[in-house]
Amino acid sequence: MPNGAYVIAIAGPVGAGKTTLAQAVAHELSDAAMLQFDHYERITEQSIEQVRDWMQGGADLDAIAIPGLAEALQALKAGRAVTDPMTGATIPSRKYILFETQFGRRHAATGRHIDLMIWVDTPLDVALARKVRQFAAALEGSDPAATRTFGAWLHGYLGNYLDVVAGLLRMQKESVGAGADVVVDGGREVSALQQEIARLVRERLP
């Protein structure tokens, strides 16, 4: 493997805490960098009707374009730094690349670069509660007009969740989660999980 670079995928539903966990594991491993799926994806730019049509058409993950992500993974594994398309920051190539992702190995173009896949198994009600709490925290200190706007937005968000997103997340667990090498309990404290995952990584990918 070029330069001993390994890609460790951290996958799970929206609200599972993937980003926080990946950051914590990267810190625990020390010789590690992090690559975030969310900084490359364009799926959220689609309407809920387009997502519903895609789901009803078979939900082919390989039909989803994620510009530059597979190329970034390949470059990092080959020892070359890449630029984060959202932040403009340089992502250096390290021994371990923590890859926060939604699709794991089920997305062929990016999945083929994964050396170890970890599924963060978080109950969907807990994941949703975490996500809503995150939205609410971002609103703290806002003026009343912003609060009223947020209420209307949240109503629509939860409606879309019930109509489409919950079904997608169940499908994700059945397909993406089933391909994991390791399953961890997303309800546990991040501090405990980061140590457990770092130990597994060092054992399996020395």
Side-chain angles (χ1 to χ4, degrees), residues 20-21 24-25 28 188-198:
T20 299
L21 181 58
V25 174
E28 188 77 17
R188 294 174 58 195
E189 291 293 328
V190 170
S191 58
L193 286 178
Q194 74 181 76
Q195 294 174 13
E196 176 183 332
I197 292 171

Side-chain angles (χ1 to χ4, degrees), residues 2-206:
N3 297 317
Y6 298 102
V7 171
I8 299 97
I10 305 289
V14 174
K18 299 183 295 298
T19 301
T20 299
L21 181 58
Q23 289 171 335
V25 174
H27 177 77
E28 188 77 17
L29 288 170
S30 183
D31 189 9
M34 183 173 165
L35 191 71
Q36 292 179 259
F37 173 95
D38 289 350
H39 290 193
Y40 289 81
E41 65 87 12
R42 296 292 180 269
I43 306 162
T44 51
E45 295 175 0
Q46 298 184 356
S47 68
I48 196 66
E49 290 76 19
Q50 289 174 308
V51 175
R52 182 186 291 110
D53 290 344
W54 170 77
M55 184 177 176
Q56 292 174 347
D60 179 9
L61 295 182
D62 290 329
I64 296 176
I66 312 172
L69 182 54
E71 292 80 2
L73 286 166
Q74 184 175 18
L76 289 168
K77 292 192 76 167
R80 300 191 304 273
V82 300
T83 300
D84 187 304
M86 180 177 289
T87 67
T90 297
I91 302 173
S93 177
R94 300 295 189 208
K95 181 175 182 177
Y96 300 113
I97 309 300
L98 274 295
F99 175 35
E100 173 266 316
T101 177
Q102 299 281 1
F103 297 155
R105 292 193 176 101
R106 286 300 306 274
H107 186 259
T110 55
R112 66 189 179 90
H113 297 293
I114 294 172
D115 298 295
L116 180 68
M117 181 182 153
I118 297 164
W119 175 258
V120 185
D121 193 27
T122 307
L124 294 186
D125 58 340
V126 173
L128 177 60
R130 287 176 177 173
K131 199 65 183 177
V132 172
R133 184 174 63 181
Q134 179 184 342
F135 294 147
L139 193 69
E140 288 183 5
S142 299
D143 58 57
T147 302
R148 288 193 296 272
T149 301
F150 172 75
W153 176 88
L154 183 60
H155 184 272
Y157 177 88
L158 293 175
N160 290 336
Y161 184 94
L162 291 171
D163 290 343
V164 177
V165 178
L168 284 174
L169 294 179
R170 287 191 292 269
M171 181 195 68
Q172 180 197 31
K173 180 175 182 178
E174 293 169 1
S175 59
V176 177
D181 301 303
V182 177
V183 177
V184 298
D185 180 0
R188 294 174 58 195
E189 291 293 328
V190 170
S191 58
L193 286 178
Q194 74 181 76
Q195 294 174 13
E196 176 183 332
I197 292 171
R199 176 180 56 79
L200 285 169
V201 169
R202 293 188 182 106
E203 289 175 356
R204 298 190 183 205
L205 305 173

